[in-house]
Amino acid sequence: MVENESIDAVKFCIFCRIANGAEPSWKVYEDEHAYAFLDRGAATVGHTLVIPRNHAVDLFEVTREDAGRLMESVREVARLLDARLKPDGMTLFQANKTAGWQDVLHMHMHVVPRYDNDRLVRPWEGGTPTDEELDNVLARIEN
């Protein structure tokens, strides 16, 4: 168990159990700070989840240090998948809270190899906000 993880996280969090070897997984990569494994709900061939070993629910809870280390591991995983699977592209995403499509309450990044004509499609179409709309949003952020 990583030193700042609670017994409850290791006992009840599926990703903590996977990282600690208590649950089976298809390990792609690991280092002292992160663990990466193939996603059972894969969107494409090679879809991999990269998780910090320290339990954090999401981006709002993960420490700055663990977030940085996680991104370093994500880069390594993306490079590995690119070299071995030779995809046509790569998509990274990370979801927070239920409304943000987070299904497992343990911080994780999706590393998704992309192939021409794969079944993964954009979930939105870009809008065309006016300058005034952008100014209003920026004012809300700055205040």
Side-chain angles (χ1 to χ4, degrees):
M1 178 169 59
V2 179
E3 78 182 50
N4 74 344
E5 285 182 326
S6 72
I7 298 300
D8 286 344
V10 173
K11 183 176 178 183
F12 297 111
C13 174
I14 185 68
F15 284 180
C16 286
R17 293 195 320 265
I18 287 171
N20 285 302
E23 293 286 337
S25 69
W26 288 263
K27 179 177 70 172
V28 170
Y29 172 89
E30 72 177 317
D31 60 35
E32 66 183 295
H33 303 290
Y35 188 87
F37 55 99
L38 294 175
D39 189 344
R40 279 188 164 279
T44 67
V45 172
H47 182 166
T48 300
L49 302 178
V50 186
I51 63 173
R53 288 188 180 274
N54 288 330
H55 182 81
V57 170
D58 57 23
L59 184 64
F60 304 108
E61 188 176 295
V62 70
T63 67
R64 181 180 187 144
E65 294 79 16
D66 282 345
R69 291 176 184 137
L70 180 65
M71 199 60 200
E72 290 172 5
S73 299
V74 165
R75 180 178 181 270
E76 292 302 315
V77 169
R79 292 170 61 89
L80 174 65
L81 296 176
D82 188 58
R84 302 286 171 82
L85 300 178
K86 307 288 188 211
D88 300 309
M90 191 77 63
T91 297
L92 305 178
F93 68 92
Q94 193 276 320
N96 298 281
K97 302 182 182 182
T98 304
W101 303 340
Q102 184 178 11
D103 293 324
V104 178
L105 299 181
H106 183 116
M107 171 73 180
H108 58 285
M109 291 282 300
H110 295 258
V111 181
V112 185
R114 300 302 307 279
Y115 305 93
D116 289 338
N117 302 312
D118 65 31
R119 63 189 177 104
L120 190 59
V121 297
R122 286 182 194 248
W124 72 89
E125 289 187 29
T128 54
T130 65
D131 289 354
E132 182 181 3
E133 290 169 324
L134 293 172
D135 288 341
N136 289 336
V137 172
L138 184 58
R140 289 176 59 199
I141 293 169
E142 291 178 333
N143 291 329

